[in-house]
């Protein structure tokens, strides 16, 4: 039986699963043709984080669709005005950027494109501007800024930029191949950042 949100104009189908605790959210993505997973999380810390991690971290690592993690109680009205899109941009990110750009357009948000530059492989400003222009070309109405941070610690660098801006969300792309934010870093950011985190991953 479906239901509809009047304000967001979204259709939803409730699903109640009875099991012994062995069911996993990611197991329902393909059978139900899910496009986005939204999760609330209190995070894991201390020994629990080191030994077993959190349920949210597991979903972020294994989900084949974007996962939006909301950490704190949402203020009303809920608005997303600024989104940080962080990546090393070392390889092709067009397909992943498309998902982030469409999300930004949905909220009419400004996209702060953040180049995570390793100190021994810094991308110069001209190259960053060119990459950003190529990525945003299909979205002429998209509002965006080009930024970078030099670091050898991706989580620390992204967190520093979050603290310096008035962002409402962080978006990351993760893959097993090089050139993207590693799954482990994305999981740590999901666990430690206070603002919502959108993780776009793939195997």
């Amino acid at each position: 039986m479906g239901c509809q949100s009047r304000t967001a104009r979204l259709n939803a189908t409730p699903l109640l699963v009875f099991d012994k605790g062995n069911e996993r959210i990611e197991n329902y993505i393909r059978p139900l043709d899910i496009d986005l997973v939204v999760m609330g999380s209190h995070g894991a810390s201390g020994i629990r984080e080191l030994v077993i991690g959190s349920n949210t971290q597991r979903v972020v690592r294994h989900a084949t669709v974007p996962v939006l993690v909301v950490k704190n109680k949402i203020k009303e009205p809920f608005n997303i005005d600024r989104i940080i899109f962080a990546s090393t941009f070392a390889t092709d990110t067009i397909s992943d950027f498309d998902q982030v750009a469409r999300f930004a357009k949905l909220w009419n948000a400004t996209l702060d494109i953040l180049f995570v530059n390793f100190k021994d492989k810094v991308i110069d400003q001209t190259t960053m501007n060119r990459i950003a222009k190529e990525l945003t070309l299909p979205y002429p109405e998209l509002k965006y800024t080009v930024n970078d941070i030099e670091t050898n610690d991706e989580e620390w660098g992204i967190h520093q930029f979050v603290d310096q801006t008035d962002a409402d969300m962080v978006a990351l792309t993760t893959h097993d191949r090089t050139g993207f934010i590693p799954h482990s870093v994305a999981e740590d950011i999901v666990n430690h950042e206070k603002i919502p985190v959108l993780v776009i991953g793939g195997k």
Side-chain angles (χ1 to χ4, degrees):
M1 180 177 180
C3 60
Q4 184 176 36
S5 166
R6 295 180 180 178
T7 56
R9 293 177 293 180
L10 296 176
N11 291 317
T13 302
L15 177 65
L16 180 60
V17 178
F18 293 94
D19 208 312
K20 299 179 180 179
N22 296 322
E23 287 296 290
R24 296 188 172 187
I25 293 171
E26 57 268 31
N27 293 343
Y28 290 90
I29 292 174
R30 288 183 178 174
L32 298 180
D33 197 24
I34 292 172
D35 299 308
L36 172 70
V37 174
V38 182
M39 299 186 68
S41 173
H42 296 294
S45 59
I47 294 176
R48 182 171 183 268
E49 179 182 10
L50 292 173
V51 176
I52 63 173
S54 70
N55 182 55
T56 306
Q57 285 175 295
R58 193 200 68 246
V59 175
V60 165
R61 175 173 288 268
H62 296 289
T64 54
V65 297
V67 179
L68 174 60
V69 182
V70 181
K71 293 294 294 293
N72 297 311
K73 184 177 180 180
I74 298 298
K75 297 179 181 179
E76 294 291 344
F78 176 64
N79 291 313
I80 299 293
D81 296 319
R82 301 194 75 90
I83 300 174
I84 297 171
F85 175 50
S87 176
T88 60
F89 295 93
T91 56
D92 182 23
T93 58
I94 292 177
S95 60
D96 298 307
F97 182 83
D98 177 69
Q99 298 183 68
V100 177
R102 285 189 286 129
F103 206 94
K105 285 184 63 179
L106 178 67
W107 289 96
N108 193 30
T110 297
L111 195 58
D112 294 317
I113 300 174
L114 178 62
F115 286 77
V116 180
N117 276 328
F118 294 113
K119 293 185 177 181
D120 59 339
K121 297 180 180 179
V122 176
I123 303 176
D124 62 77
Q125 188 67 50
T126 300
T127 303
M128 287 191 291
N129 290 338
R130 176 182 57 78
I131 293 173
K133 186 176 181 179
E134 291 174 354
L135 290 172
T136 58
L137 190 61
Y139 310 96
E141 298 179 359
L142 181 66
K143 299 173 290 185
Y144 71 93
T145 66
V146 180
N147 314 269
D148 74 298
I149 189 160
E150 293 184 24
T151 181
N152 286 326
D153 184 333
E154 298 104 309
E155 182 189 359
W156 179 88
I158 293 170
H159 179 71
Q160 291 300 305
F161 190 78
V162 170
D163 278 354
Q164 295 168 13
T165 59
D166 191 25
D168 302 296
M169 180 183 294
V170 178
L172 309 166
T173 58
T174 64
H175 288 269
D176 287 336
R177 63 186 187 274
T178 58
F180 292 85
I181 303 298
H183 281 99
S184 58
V185 174
E187 291 162 21
D188 288 341
I189 290 173
V190 162
N191 230 24
H192 301 141
E193 287 298 338
K194 296 180 180 179
I195 62 176
V197 179
L198 176 67
V199 181
I200 300 170
K203 296 295 181 181

